[in-house]
Amino acid sequence: MKLQSFINGNWIDGTGETVELMSPVTGEKIAEYSSDGYDVKSMYEYARNVGGKNLRELTFHERGRMLKSLAQHLMEKKKEFYPLSFQTGATKIDSWIDIEGGISTIFTYASKSRRELPDEKIWVEGKMEALSKHGTFVGQHVCVPLQGVALHINAYNFPIWGMLEKLGPTLIAGMPAVIKPAPVSSHLAEKMVRVIIESKILPEGSMQLILGEPGDLLDHLGNQDVVTFTGSAETGHKLKSHPNIIKNSVRFNLEADSLNCSILAPDVKPEMDEFKLFVKEVVNEMTAKAGQKCTAIRRAIVPKHLMNEVIDAMKERLAKVKIGDPNDENTRMGSLAGSRYVELVNQKIKLMKESLEVVYEGGEKFDENLAFVNPLLFKCDNPNECSVPHEVEAFGPVSTVMPYENIDEAIKLANMGQGSLVASLFTVDNEIAKQFVLGSGSYHGRIMIMNRDSAKESTGHGSPLPHLTHGGPGRAGGGEEMGGLRGILKYMQRIALQGHPTTLSYVCNQYINGAKQIIDIVHPFKKHFDELKIGETYITHRRTVTETDVVNFAGISGDFFYAHMDDVAAKESMFEKRVAHGYFVLSAAAGLFVDPSPGPVMANYGLEELRFIRPVYIGDTIQAKLTCKQKTAKETKEGMVPQGVVEWYVEVVNQNNEAVAVYSILTLVKRKNSKV
Amino acid sequence: MKLQSFINGNWIDGTGETVELMSPVTGEKIAEYSSDGYDVKSMYEYARNVGGKNLRELTFHERGRMLKSLAQHLMEKKKEFYPLSFQTGATKIDSWIDIEGGISTIFTYASKSRRELPDEKIWVEGKMEALSKHGTFVGQHVCVPLQGVALHINAYNFPIWGMLEKLGPTLIAGMPAVIKPAPVSSHLAEKMVRVIIESKILPEGSMQLILGEPGDLLDHLGNQDVVTFTGSAETGHKLKSHPNIIKNSVRFNLEADSLNCSILAPDVKPEMDEFKLFVKEVVNEMTAKAGQKCTAIRRAIVPKHLMNEVIDAMKERLAKVKIGDPNDENTRMGSLAGSRYVELVNQKIKLMKESLEVVYEGGEKFDENLAFVNPLLFKCDNPNECSVPHEVEAFGPVSTVMPYENIDEAIKLANMGQGSLVASLFTVDNEIAKQFVLGSGSYHGRIMIMNRDSAKESTGHGSPLPHLTHGGPGRAGGGEEMGGLRGILKYMQRIALQGHPTTLSYVCNQYINGAKQIIDIVHPFKKHFDELKIGETYITHRRTVTETDVVNFAGISGDFFYAHMDDVAAKESMFEKRVAHGYFVLSAAAGLFVDPSPGPVMANYGLEELRFIRPVYIGDTIQAKLTCKQKTAKETKEGMVPQGVVEWYVEVVNQNNEAVAVYSILTLVKRKNSKV
């Protein structure tokens, strides 16, 4: 198997030295490639000028549909990846997390981008900011894609997931990616890129792959580029402080391994479910992916009086872990990703043994040319004084158990890790959970609180999810990935737009309060989705609110609240006299603006940000103003009437033209070409 | 005037060499201080252990009220700052921007924190993320303050504003600050800190001041600390790549000067208002603060055929700029902040003169010991080929005019600045505005679009506002400050919390869907604000929706939409038969849950996120479930009934317990101690 890089639209061989990939499981050669010899600068130029340009021509929804097709395609092809994954030492479950976890991240971004972003090229972020008294000068944050290239430097442990969790947000943002996989698992990364490229789903230039370690990888990056790095802190720090990265303020998102912890809370007793859940989770996180997880539990922090019981329970579970051929369904733990990692893990274990006591060490003997290792559990009786378990990480099936006296001490120990990707807490006492979040929260990117009620559906301590941020402070690198739309922002520039609301409405393709309104002779409910213009406004006839209305409305709704019905109490209230029901104002406004005949408007299915600003008294005369605020075409499924969502801004005013209520309503409106 | 540092709660003198501050206006000595000799490490420890601890004990609203008091106090004392500001070469207007602009930033943060954040110590950020099928394991992002210290390294040009715009978000976040002012204007910075400390409004340890340039300023920072730097790119880059900053992933927010541009769009003709507005803005930004503004317009990009007209108009305005004593009300431009800056500006001017043509140079002669300079306007006829105007910045009253052929070229020129804090565009053509945002947006942190309609109320090209982000990519440093709540996040850790909704509800003090509900025999509308518990739920009686209801509701609302009233059309619609009005369901739900008697609930003033999930047909039976979601005490003003906002989550279900509508309502509820 000869691997190639995908550069400037072509699969090519490097001209540098040959790198051979050896199976950690069998010791046989599995692939080789010639590294380096590529023109990195031209690769970046191609990404920016071809890929970036192509991607920026699409809207967020178009990019989302593209990712959906891609995820569907990859799911169909998923069986092709498993045999290559076994060759990285990963068991079936490990591989499932890598392969299907990665693809499902793409699915999530495909869906989130279509649900939570507009069908536009500009993302209107947050609310309009009023900056002036008369409203002729306002502010609005928007986000646009960076015009550069995203360099993804991936770790060896999750070659597929690590690639796709970066690729999803990058492509949704509208940026092209250059992917540099870790050498040891690059056969699997290359396969994934090949399947993606062959699918022809992504536009030209959106994705390139570079095998090898070109020395000038960072030299050609500029102010519009991004580096997203996952790997060792040492390498990460070196790259992050590269003069060119600093000089051009190139965004650098760093995710490094950290000494994540799990805490058994002081309220948990050995007979409780949470005790068993804790032991199970720690052992699982030690042995899954042979402990090569940046989120693995390295520190198990337990009440002092339960130390022995916890250790005994862990030992019992650890002894049952079957180590061996990842192809074998019974195997619980495969090998490390390569034989060189055995050496690295053993070095760290040696260092740890100087300060820590071994309480469990698996005794299996393995061929020295392969990458199998035994799980190892340490104990540290003086974790307040000993820095080793908080600083030294053996990136394999290795963990340390340590005692605490009270919750404050547990928090202190958790924080001694100096920043981690994730901490977990096993407790049924929600007050302890709150104390932990307040006392230790700023040291972790994610905190999982586990009890018997959440355990069954939990995705576990070790699993980053596309909906939630992944990354942590300090030792974890200070980066942040995913987290839904938050991850997309890493590849976009936020701009504070200022100007007249009419101008900003046009730029944002969304009505902004104060913008010019367009009045047409045709009722807007007579118009199809495609005919409606942003800013189009309908001003209704008026209606005087009578006592009869208030009384009748109370009768129909059943709402006899004193402010509407009780002269005496209303007089003493903040209203000073009886007022119409707010929901009557809302209902009467609909009566004013609704066009009764069948027409393009199919339904009003939602309402947002309603505020009753002034009371409506008996005798007041109300009028509604309905303005087309935003339009989003819906994807039409088989048998569905082509339609779109139209959001209307509604202002109800009184006889003095003072607003009494403002809100937005959401309607479904037919497309012009719909037959029905 | 002998300046001191404020360290560990005391005003102290340094033990290092004496630094003398000379007036740029008169040449006289205005102050001196002994620099350095402080124990930086202990200063940070004091901030973390005393200031941080004190601040974290407050809620966001308490911190907001603290800032409000502080801003009020500073406004009362504002006159004390002006004489010291004149000594920095700043005119009255320059000083107003620095002093009152700074104080108003504190006011904005005081107000935004109380309006947009909860009255809690934990900020619940964004929506709950469903992570499981049955909803027993969910995610919620929250933010908590970092437990370290924020080191603010400020620039010399806006000693007050630059300090306060960093201090506001830092204190709201709950972090203590150590402030290092720029030496040249440290007499003004010291005065401000002195006034703040003397007010005793901030808790102990929240704020320290360090004069001088201690060499170990960055050596003692850790993973919970933040550096916010404004100043030259060169210094910024050096500090940002400091080994300790990199190693501990210390957050580093860098804001550097950039070559901001302003563009006269191709649609503007000389006789149009926008032409005059453009000329006025460029000249104003050249001369305000003697051009020492990180947001100043360094590049004026104009249509080729208007070059001469623009230059002539600018020359005319520039000639009228009166330079001199900042104390004099007629003075339009004061001096640079110190005589050393004259030398620096002249060096850059010399470099620029090698490639650019001078079209205007003021001819006044000034005392060489003072810091007055003349404005200077350059012209660059070949801006596509010449990098000087896009790369060299004279940080004084210096700007370059350059021509473009079409909007694409104007965008290209704007982007040649390689990242800026702000760009402005003068146009009446909104399509050009959109093109510019799409083509050049990713190169700027802020874009102001100006026309005759927005001009009158505009705050101008040069003014960063607390509501909007300030910072820009590339040359501008890649940082981001302010932007409302966004700026607060820079001093907090975002955590992805996972667990059972009941646990997360408790931690967040906010009902999260799926959490345990508490049922009480007492109707919740009978309870005062203080008595209500988060999660407390009222399940109403039921009501069968009849044809009479639908008909009567149409009569009262005036809403005769066919889906409710027209059997024939309803049959052909998506509903397949007549449905009740959505607003009837809403009104009837209120009828089900409202308690009519006068009681603690004063009003329902708003409604959020309403979705009609299923149609309600004639004959269906509905029931409402009302759950206390969130409580926020209101600040009680004189004569006001003590009250709070209670947000209720409402679910309306049908006879099959299927949700037909979900939403939140906002009510005002009296406090228990209120007399009324």
Side-chain angles (χ1 to χ4, degrees), chain A residues 134 136 147 224 249 431 439 442 446 449 457 474 486 498 506 543 556 583 604-605 607-608 610-611, chain B residues 134 136 147 224 249 431 439 442 446-447 449 457 474 498 506 543 556 583 604 607-608 610-611:
Chain A
H134 300 291
T136 62
Q147 295 188 26
Q224 294 288 304
S249 304
E431 179 58 32
S442 64
R446 181 162 58 87
I449 304 159
E457 290 200 301
R486 296 172 188 84
Q498 296 175 294
Y506 188 90
R543 174 172 178 179
I556 286 181
Y583 296 122
N604 168 12
Y605 73 93
L607 190 148
E608 296 279 357
L610 166 66
R611 290 293 176 278
Chain B
H134 301 290
T136 63
Q147 296 187 25
Q224 294 289 304
S249 304
E431 179 59 30
S442 63
R446 181 163 58 88
I447 294 179
I449 304 158
E457 291 200 300
Q498 297 175 295
Y506 187 89
R543 173 171 178 180
I556 285 180
Y583 296 122
N604 167 12
L607 192 148
E608 298 278 356
L610 165 67
R611 290 292 178 278

Side-chain angles (χ1 to χ4, degrees), chain A residues 317-389:
Chain A
R317 282 193 87 93
L318 282 168
K320 288 180 193 156
V321 173
K322 191 177 172 313
I323 306 163
D325 183 358
N327 270 300
D328 183 341
E329 295 253 337
N330 295 318
T331 296
R332 177 71 197 288
M333 185 170 111
S335 72
L336 298 184
S339 50
R340 59 180 288 233
Y341 299 108
V342 179
E343 173 74 16
L344 289 172
V345 167
N346 284 335
Q347 277 171 14
K348 293 295 174 74
I349 288 175
K350 200 179 154 203
L351 187 63
M352 293 170 87
K353 281 185 175 171
E354 288 170 15
S355 314
L356 306 174
E357 185 186 333
V358 174
V359 290
Y360 177 86
E361 186 163 17
E364 281 198 62
K365 298 278 173 240
F366 305 108
D367 182 337
E368 281 187 10
N369 297 315
L370 307 182
F372 292 96
V373 290
N374 278 303
L376 181 59
L377 188 66
F378 284 109
K379 180 171 96 159
C380 176
D381 281 325
N382 55 341
N384 277 302
E385 286 83 45
C386 178
S387 65
V388 168

Side-chain angles (χ1 to χ4, degrees), chain B residues 142-246:
Chain B
V142 300
C143 304
V144 296
L146 288 173
Q147 296 187 25
V149 55
L151 172 64
H152 295 170
I153 303 177
N154 293 329
Y156 67 83
N157 51 351
F158 290 102
I160 300 284
W161 176 83
M163 178 196 297
L164 298 183
E165 61 101 11
K166 291 184 177 64
L167 192 63
T170 302
L171 292 176
I172 292 296
M175 266 192 105
V178 165
I179 295 165
K180 200 202 97 42
V184 75
S185 51
S186 53
H187 62 296
L188 183 47
E190 195 245 27
K191 172 73 182 170
M192 175 52 83
V193 174
R194 222 172 254 281
V195 171
I196 294 176
I197 297 300
E198 281 168 5
S199 79
K200 298 201 162 90
I201 292 168
L202 302 185
E204 193 195 335
S206 334
M207 188 176 181
Q208 296 179 79
L209 175 76
I210 187 164
L211 301 178
E213 308 280 349
D216 61 344
L217 203 57
L218 304 187
D219 294 350
H220 310 289
L221 295 173
N223 70 78
Q224 294 289 304
D225 303 322
V226 179
V227 180
T228 313
F229 172 92
T230 305
S232 79
E234 199 189 342
T235 309
H237 295 161
K238 204 178 113 200
L239 302 184
K240 190 178 173 183
S241 53
H242 185 284
N244 187 52
I245 298 292
I246 297 289

Side-chain angles (χ1 to χ4, degrees), chain B residues 575-603:
Chain B
F575 302 108
E576 296 174 343
K577 54 183 172 175
R578 274 192 292 150
V579 293
H581 298 73
Y583 296 122
F584 170 75
V585 174
L586 214 54
S587 307
L592 291 169
F593 63 67
V594 161
D595 183 74
S597 302
V601 176
M602 301 162 70

Side-chain angles (χ1 to χ4, degrees), chain A residues 597-614:
Chain A
S597 303
V601 176
M602 300 162 70
N604 168 12
Y605 73 93
L607 190 148
E608 296 279 357
E609 293 181 64
L610 166 66
R611 290 293 176 278
F612 296 117
I613 294 173
R614 280 183 187 78

